């Protein structure tokens, strides 16, 4: 055994940058089983400060299908961040958020914390919805019903006016 294996190992370690393990970690605890969920975010190893927070609701096709409640602005698409929505200090490293899915299909949550130009992403949390036999209502059902009622009222008005 010569010096070649040791030289190769030394060159390998010299030219390949070492990966530093991040000490920051975001974990989620999710409560709920259909549409409305309470998501508890826990930030481990983060510096004290306020972070913008996003809890994204993603469907299998990659689309967004949810809303998060912002106490300052109300319901927002899961696309947007809640500005300074999660403040971390010595006593507090977790916070509850209310998230609403806009689908009865299965989906996943992913949380992102952002401060200045840095961001941290959690692992995906898969949700198997357990909704009571729900059928999604057609999008235009109520619009069609309204048009039908308006046509009936207009027809009745013309009938009464014609024979008066």
């Amino acid at each position: 055994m010569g010096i070649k294996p040791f030289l190769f190992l030394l060159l390998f370690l010299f030219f390949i940058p070492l990966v530093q393990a991040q000490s920051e970690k975001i974990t989620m605890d999710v409560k709920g089983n259909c549409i409305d969920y309470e998501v508890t975010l826990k930030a481990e190893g983060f510096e004290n400060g306020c972070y913008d927070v996003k809890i994204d609701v993603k469907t299998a096709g990659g689309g967004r299908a949810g809303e998060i409640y912002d106490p300052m602005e109300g319901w927002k698409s899961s696309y947007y961040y809640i500005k300074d929505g999660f403040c971390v200090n010595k006593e507090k490293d977790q916070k509850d958020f209310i998230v609403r899915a806009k689908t009865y299909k299965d989906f996943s949550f992913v949380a992102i914390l952002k401060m200045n130009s840095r961001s941290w992403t959690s692992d995906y949390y898969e949700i198997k919805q357990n909704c009571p036999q729900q059928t999604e209502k057609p999008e235009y059902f109520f619009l069609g019903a309204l048009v039908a009622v308006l046509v009936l009222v207009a027809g009745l008005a013309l009938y009464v006016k014609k024979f008066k």
Side-chain angles (χ1 to χ4, degrees):
M1 187 162 185
I3 195 160
K4 286 185 182 181
F6 294 113
L7 184 58
F8 177 77
L9 181 63
L10 183 63
L11 288 173
F12 180 76
L13 291 175
F14 183 76
F15 287 110
I16 304 296
L18 296 175
V19 177
Q20 295 179 346
Q22 286 187 334
S23 61
E24 300 96 356
K25 182 178 180 185
I26 305 169
T27 57
M28 283 187 274
D29 181 35
V30 178
K31 294 178 185 162
N33 59 5
C34 181
I35 304 297
D36 296 311
Y37 293 89
E38 181 180 308
V39 179
T40 302
L41 289 185
K42 184 170 185 175
E44 300 172 19
F46 280 78
E47 294 178 12
N48 291 347
C50 290
Y51 297 81
D52 298 341
V53 63
K54 175 199 292 197
I55 301 176
D56 212 350
V57 179
K58 298 238 181 173
T59 60
R64 289 187 172 83
E67 296 176 314
I68 184 169
Y69 186 74
D70 180 350
M72 302 301 278
E73 298 182 25
W75 289 101
K76 297 171 77 169
S77 167
S78 67
Y79 174 77
Y80 296 102
Y81 284 90
I82 296 175
K83 182 149 180 67
D84 296 330
F86 190 7
C87 293
V88 176
N89 57 44
K90 292 178 187 176
E91 297 84 34
K92 187 176 178 187
D93 67 349
Q94 66 183 28
K95 185 172 180 181
D96 295 332
F97 294 92
I98 301 170
V99 181
R100 180 167 54 196
K102 290 180 164 181
T103 182
Y104 291 101
K105 297 177 182 175
D106 297 340
F107 62 90
S108 60
F109 285 124
V110 64
I112 303 170
L113 295 181
K114 182 173 79 166
M115 180 185 269
N116 301 324
S117 63
R118 292 189 64 196
S119 64
W120 300 265
T121 304
S122 72
D123 292 333
Y124 279 83
Y125 192 99
E126 301 295 325
I127 299 292
K128 303 277 187 218
Q129 291 209 87
N130 186 17
C131 297
Q133 298 180 354
Q134 291 284 86
T135 56
E136 292 192 43
K137 296 177 184 172
E139 291 179 18
Y140 299 107
F141 173 77
F142 292 110
L143 179 61
L146 180 63
V147 169
V149 169
L150 288 174
V151 167
L152 287 173
V153 169
L156 184 62
L158 287 173
Y159 178 80
V160 169
K161 190 174 184 179
K162 184 176 185 179
F163 291 107
K164 217 176 185 189

